Amino acid sequence: MIANQILLLLTLSMLGPSNAMPFTPGNIGKLFGMEGDGRILQRSKRGWMWNQFFLLEEYTGNDHQYVGKLHSNMDKGNGNVRYVLTGDGAGTLFLIDEKSGDIHATKRLDREEKAMYTLNAKVLDRNTNAELEPDTEFNIKIHDINDNAPKFSKEIYFASVPEMSDVGTTVVTITASDADDQTYGNSAKLVYSILQGQPYFSVDSENGTIKTALPGMDREVKEHYQVVIQAKDMAGQMGGLSGTTTVSITLSDVNDSPPRFANHSFRVTTPESTEVGGAIGRIKADDPDVGRNAEMEYSIVGGHDIFNIVTDQKTQEGVIVIKKVLDYETKKDYEFRVEVRNTYLDARFIHGLQFKDYATVRVTVEDVDEPPVFTRNPYVIEVHEDTAAGSFVGVVSARDLDVINEITSSHHPFRYSIDRHTDLERLFNIDSTNGTITTLKALDREMSKWHNISVVATEINNPGQTTRVPVFIKVLDVNDNAPEFATSYDTFVCENVKAGQLIQTISAVDTDEPQVGHKFVFTISPTNPNFTVVDREDNTANILTRRGGFSRREMSMYFLPVVISDNDYPIQSSTSTLVVRVCACDSRGNMQSCSPEVLPFSEGLTTGALVAILLCVIILLMIVVLFAALRRQRKKEPLIISKEDVRDNVVSYNDEGGGEEDTQAFDIGTLRNPEVMDANKLRRDIIPEMLFPFRRTSPIKDNTDVRDFINGRLQENDSDPTAPPYDSLATYAYEGNGSLAESLSSLESAATEGDHDYDYLSNWGPQFKKLAEMYIGKSPDRET
């Protein structure tokens, strides 16, 4: 049997209490059933078969630490027994000597990594590997030692507690952890203590709860505290390990301080020109509290008619504003009392304290130079439309309030003017001194019933002080317009009409507006034998026939003048002409056909308009006649008008040398062959696009073909009124030695232009007159 005994070599310093048994080989043997000399005790199987052994965790500098020894009764000491160890850590953490059974640990045994190892021991025959004894299982349990210090999860904690809290108020609970065994010894039994933060705070030694230890801690005196907490193991005994952490404790605010004015009297100055709703000053009370507890509300005790105070929520200031317009001349000084109080109160602190305060505010109004003030705003003035230019319309007046209320103040005269942006037609004028408004032009109610202008009053001594007032001028109606037909009427009468038959109902309009309404009277000449008018008493009238038997052949159209009068003063009347056409009608009076339609006179066309239309027609006829006359006399424009025309080509031949191949302007070959030229005539007003190569041919005898060709061209040009006057273009382009006139060009001529005498050209007849003028005029002798 394997002796389940472990020989442990323990470091004395790791055992703990000082009265522990000394570690000597003899003592170790006694601990595990061995004699003092190290021999295994002879025991029965039941007596020495343990299944659990204990080993203290430790660390030494040795690579292989002796742990214990296994010994079997089958081992006779002759080396035939071999010990084998299997299980947790066998071969890595624990090694066994096959011959002696000694067990060694290869590295430190840490309970925090693994607290117990289960191993199996075998005893084999070294020669046959046969098992000499059954496997024996045993445990090695690592006993804890205090090798881990307590640790807090954070290096610094943050907590808060209301100021003025009672003693013993819990702030926060913090705990540390210890990796040592909680169930064995005191290695993991922690005790908490406070190293810094007294006498303000205390800590529960068992659970780490921090509490207030001092009454009446005021945030306004000190707000932040740093508390250092220590956790120590071994139940706080000497030699135990410890860890520390810092707790930052902040006193949170409570409303324990009322608002107070540092100065209970305020003075504010404001000009009288301050607008309603404008701020004139600010006052502020002090409250050492923060946040919601420092919010304040200002009010005027008993209220005030002129001033009000509102609270600025951002700055917690009282803003004094104006409710009504200030007037220095009426009242200069005001005084009222302002109250300030906290918006939110804490019931724990309202007893014995007044959470409100009072201050007196004095307001002084400063005088400013005020602009003039009109006596009325706005002005409404009535004027008749028949008022002539320069007539009186009305008067506006302004005053200076500064002068009215100050005896020593100097008089501030005004200058009145009309804003011309409101009187673009310049209908009115105003006296700059007394404000009298007059007309510049006659007013017409039918053009505009109202005129809205702005009058400006400006202080002469201070032009920056101006005031404007609207002036509404109503133009009253005057009966200055006569009534007229309401529309243009297309009236006809049937040939077979009977006397007294209605042919038209007429009505009238008047642009005037009498106060009693319109009343029109319609009349026609009583001597009219064809028609009569019957007034219907409703501003309309019926046109009736006086007779029957109208005939288109006798007269196809009648002009009936109707006089329309109104009933206003002075009475206005006008005559409108009603055109009545005579038409053929059926038995029911329906029109079938009329004489050629004649347009009725337009009521809107005046005599001046008709004259203008007639003048336009006459001018148009004159333009047409003039244009036709000019068209008959107009001659056809010459086709060649540019500087590159034939005249330049003809003249250029005067200084050309012989042999120059300049045939772009004329086809010389064509001159020798008139038949080809007649068949394919080219325009003489442009340069031909085809270029013919220069070639010299012998002249035909007597040059009769050229002479005939030239004569033919001359005849054509003389008989064609539209041909250009450049008869030399087609006629004298031929050059050669065989011509009777010889060559007119400078080609192949060695003589200069001055050596030529062209007087003989004048003997050729009228056909060559133009050519003679061109060349004889250039003769040097003649020029001299």
Side-chain angles (χ1 to χ4, degrees):
M1 295 293 292
I2 298 175
N4 296 341
Q5 302 175 19
I6 305 300
L7 179 61
L8 304 179
L9 297 180
L10 305 177
T11 304
L12 181 61
S13 61
M14 308 291 286
L15 287 177
S18 60
N19 57 357
M21 184 181 295
F23 284 87
T24 62
N27 290 336
I28 295 174
K30 290 179 181 180
L31 287 173
F32 294 96
M34 301 175 63
E35 293 292 345
D37 56 1
R39 293 182 289 106
I40 302 299
L41 294 177
Q42 299 297 323
R43 308 172 68 180
S44 62
K45 288 184 176 181
R46 182 178 298 272
W48 58 267
M49 284 190 61
W50 296 351
N51 62 354
Q52 182 167 301
F53 301 93
F54 298 91
L55 180 64
L56 289 178
E57 61 176 335
E58 64 178 6
Y59 178 77
T60 64
N62 299 329
D63 293 338
H64 292 78
Q65 179 65 37
Y66 180 75
V67 177
K69 184 180 182 65
L70 291 179
H71 184 73
S72 174
N73 293 333
M74 303 298 294
D75 188 0
K76 304 301 182 180
N78 54 8
N80 292 328
V81 176
R82 183 166 64 90
Y83 294 95
V84 177
L85 188 65
T86 61
D88 292 341
T92 56
L93 182 60
F94 300 103
L95 299 178
I96 189 170
D97 191 322
E98 293 181 354
K99 295 181 179 181
S100 63
D102 293 336
I103 301 175
H104 295 268
T106 61
K107 64 178 182 179
R108 174 191 175 189
L109 300 177
D110 191 355
R111 188 200 66 83
E112 284 72 39
E113 293 182 2
K114 192 173 179 67
M116 187 174 64
Y117 298 87
T118 300
L119 299 171
N120 292 317
K122 294 183 180 181
V123 180
L124 303 177
D125 186 285
R126 183 177 296 279
N127 296 323
T128 63
N129 282 335
E131 292 187 2
L132 300 179
E133 290 186 9
D135 293 351
T136 300
E137 181 181 285
F138 63 95
N139 299 327
I140 298 178
K141 185 175 182 181
I142 309 302
H143 269 203
D144 182 52
I145 62 174
N146 190 21
D147 59 346
N148 291 280
K151 292 183 179 180
F152 290 93
S153 60
K154 299 179 181 178
E155 293 184 0
I156 183 169
Y157 292 84
F158 296 92
S160 65
V161 63
E163 62 174 331
M164 310 301 292
S165 296
D166 296 333
V167 175
T169 301
T170 298
V171 179
V172 67
T173 298
I174 58 174
T175 57
S177 60
D178 196 323
D180 293 326
D181 192 356
Q182 302 285 339
T183 62
Y184 178 76
N186 294 328
S187 297
K189 186 175 182 181
L190 306 181
V191 174
Y192 299 92
S193 61
I194 183 168
L195 301 182
Q196 177 183 329
Q198 296 174 333
Y200 306 103
F201 300 95
S202 63
V203 63
D204 192 305
S205 60
E206 295 183 357
N207 56 26
T209 300
I210 301 175
K211 300 179 181 180
T212 58
L214 192 67
M217 287 190 294
D218 192 354
R219 186 198 66 83
E220 287 74 35
V221 176
K222 185 176 181 180
E223 184 176 3
H224 301 287
Y225 297 85
Q226 297 290 332
V227 179
V228 179
I229 302 297
Q230 181 190 63
K232 189 174 183 180
D233 59 11
M234 298 298 294
Q237 297 179 11
M238 185 178 297
L241 303 178
S242 63
T244 60
T245 188
T246 301
V247 182
S248 178
I249 301 176
T250 301
L251 296 183
S252 59
D253 184 60
V254 297
N255 192 11
D256 59 338
S257 299
R260 291 289 182 262
F261 284 109
N263 186 3
H264 289 79
S265 179
F266 296 89
R267 181 174 294 277
V268 180
T269 303
T270 180
E272 63 176 333
S273 59
T274 305
E275 297 180 355
V276 174
I280 63 173
R282 290 172 175 259
I283 62 174
K284 190 177 189 318
D286 298 324
D287 192 332
D289 296 322
V290 295
R292 176 178 176 178
N293 299 318
E295 293 182 2
M296 295 174 283
E297 183 179 7
Y298 297 85
S299 61
I300 296 178
V301 178
H304 202 279
D305 296 336
I306 306 298
F307 302 98
N308 189 21
I309 187 168
V310 295
T311 304
D312 189 333
Q313 298 298 332
K314 293 183 178 180
T315 62
Q316 294 300 309
E317 294 177 321
V319 183
I320 302 173
V321 296
I322 298 177
K323 294 169 58 178
K324 294 182 179 179
V325 177
L326 299 177
D327 188 2
Y328 172 84
E329 291 73 26
T330 302
K331 188 173 183 180
K332 304 177 182 178
D333 298 299
Y334 298 88
E335 181 177 321
F336 50 87
R337 197 178 185 200
V338 175
E339 177 188 86
V340 61
R341 63 174 62 198
N342 279 131
T343 305
Y344 304 99
L345 299 178
D346 193 329
R348 296 176 298 173
F349 304 102
I350 59 177
H351 302 289
L353 288 176
Q354 287 290 334
F355 278 81
K356 56 185 178 180
D357 199 8
Y358 300 91
T360 301
V361 178
R362 293 179 176 86
V363 180
T364 300
V365 181
E366 295 179 339
D367 185 31
V368 295
D369 186 8
E370 298 176 278
V373 177
F374 283 94
T375 56
R376 291 162 57 189
N377 190 357
Y379 285 88
V380 180
I381 303 175
E382 295 181 348
V383 60
H384 287 87
E385 66 174 325
D386 61 350
T387 301
S391 300
F392 173 81
V393 175
V395 178
V396 297
S397 177
R399 58 178 181 171
D400 191 345
L401 299 179
D402 297 325
V403 176
I404 294 175
N405 294 279
E406 291 187 10
I407 300 176
T408 60
S409 176
S410 60
H411 179 58
H412 295 173
F414 305 129
R415 182 179 68 253
Y416 298 96
S417 62
I418 295 177
D419 185 353
R420 290 305 174 185
H421 292 90
T422 62
D423 185 23
L424 298 177
E425 298 180 359
R426 303 185 68 87
L427 299 175
F428 303 96
N429 190 27
I430 188 170
D431 190 299
S432 61
T433 303
N434 55 28
T436 301
I437 301 175
T438 57
T439 59
L440 289 175
K441 298 178 182 179
L443 305 179
D444 188 359
R445 190 200 67 84
E446 285 70 38
M447 296 296 295
S448 179
K449 300 178 181 179
W450 286 90
H451 296 280
N452 303 331
I453 63 175
S454 293
V455 175
V456 181
T458 305
E459 289 187 8
I460 297 178
N461 297 333
N462 187 5
Q465 296 294 339
T466 62
T467 303
R468 62 178 57 233
V469 65
V471 178
F472 304 118
I473 301 176
K474 182 180 180 181
V475 181
L476 301 178
D477 184 47
V478 173
N479 192 29
D480 56 350
N481 291 280
E484 56 187 10
F485 278 154
T487 184
S488 298
Y489 295 101
D490 185 10
T491 307
F492 70 93
V493 60
C494 296
E495 290 181 316
N496 56 355
V497 71
K498 297 180 180 180
Q501 186 171 345
L502 174 66
I503 62 172
Q504 184 70 59
T505 299
I506 59 176
S507 61
V509 292
D510 194 340
T511 54
D512 294 323
E513 291 182 358
Q515 297 180 356
V516 296
H518 289 295
K519 175 59 179 177
F520 301 126
V521 177
F522 302 88
T523 59
I524 61 175
S525 176
T527 60
N528 192 308
N530 302 312
F531 305 99
T532 185
V533 62
V534 177
D535 197 333
R536 302 178 60 181
E537 302 297 331
D538 59 354
N539 292 335
T540 63
N542 292 333
I543 304 299
L544 306 177
T545 58
R546 281 182 177 270
R547 65 180 181 85
F550 289 89
S551 175
R552 286 182 293 169
R553 295 181 180 180
E554 295 178 358
M555 182 171 292
S556 62
M557 187 178 300
Y558 292 89
F559 297 97
L560 179 64
V562 179
V563 179
I564 309 174
S565 304
D566 57 21
N567 64 334
D568 204 352
Y569 179 82
I571 296 176
Q572 299 288 342
S573 63
S574 66
T575 300
S576 300
T577 302
L578 182 67
V579 180
V580 182
R581 295 182 297 159
V582 180
C583 302
C585 304
D586 57 13
S587 59
R588 296 182 180 180
N590 298 323
M591 181 179 64
Q592 291 181 338
S593 62
C594 298
S595 58
E597 184 178 359
V598 178
L599 295 176
F601 288 116
S602 175
E603 60 182 358
L605 294 178
T606 62
T607 304
L610 294 175
V611 173
I613 293 174
L614 182 59
L615 290 176
C616 291
V617 172
I618 293 173
I619 293 173
L620 182 60
L621 291 176
M622 292 176 63
I623 292 174
V624 172
V625 172
L626 180 61
F627 180 78
L630 292 177
R631 187 174 182 85
R632 293 191 187 96
Q633 297 177 2
R634 186 182 62 180
K635 292 184 179 180
K636 187 175 182 181
E637 293 292 337
L639 298 177
I640 301 177
I641 58 175
S642 68
K643 294 182 179 180
E644 300 295 334
D645 57 13
V646 177
R647 289 176 295 177
D648 292 341
N649 290 331
V650 173
V651 175
S652 65
Y653 288 136
N654 293 335
D655 55 1
E656 290 178 354
E660 184 176 42
E661 297 181 1
D662 185 2
T663 58
Q664 294 183 2
F666 314 106
D667 185 4
I668 300 177
T670 304
L671 291 176
R672 295 193 297 270
N673 192 352
E675 290 78 5
V676 176
M677 186 62 184
D678 293 336
N680 186 14
K681 294 183 180 180
L682 298 177
R683 291 179 57 183
R684 292 175 293 168
D685 56 339
I686 60 174
I687 298 175
E689 297 180 354
M690 297 178 59
L691 298 179
F692 298 92
F694 176 80
R695 59 183 177 179
R696 187 181 299 272
T697 59
S698 59
I700 303 175
K701 184 178 181 179
D702 295 333
N703 297 316
T704 57
D705 56 344
V706 176
R707 185 179 297 108
D708 294 339
F709 172 77
I710 293 176
N711 291 331
R713 288 288 176 244
L714 285 174
Q715 186 176 0
E716 290 179 4
N717 292 332
D718 292 340
S719 61
D720 187 1
T722 62
Y726 313 127
D727 52 356
S728 61
L729 170 63
T731 306
Y732 304 109
Y734 174 74
E735 300 176 8
N737 295 326
S739 175
L740 295 178
E742 296 182 351
S743 176
L744 301 179
S745 173
S746 60
L747 297 176
E748 300 180 355
S749 176
T752 63
E753 186 178 355
D755 297 335
H756 293 282
D757 186 6
Y758 301 103
D759 291 339
Y760 58 86
L761 294 176
S762 59
N763 301 325
W764 285 11
Q767 294 88 346
F768 296 94
K769 181 179 180 181
K770 185 67 176 179
L771 184 61
E773 293 176 356
M774 293 175 59
Y775 281 86
I776 295 175
K778 294 184 179 180
S779 176
D781 297 336
R782 294 181 180 276
E783 293 177 359
T784 302

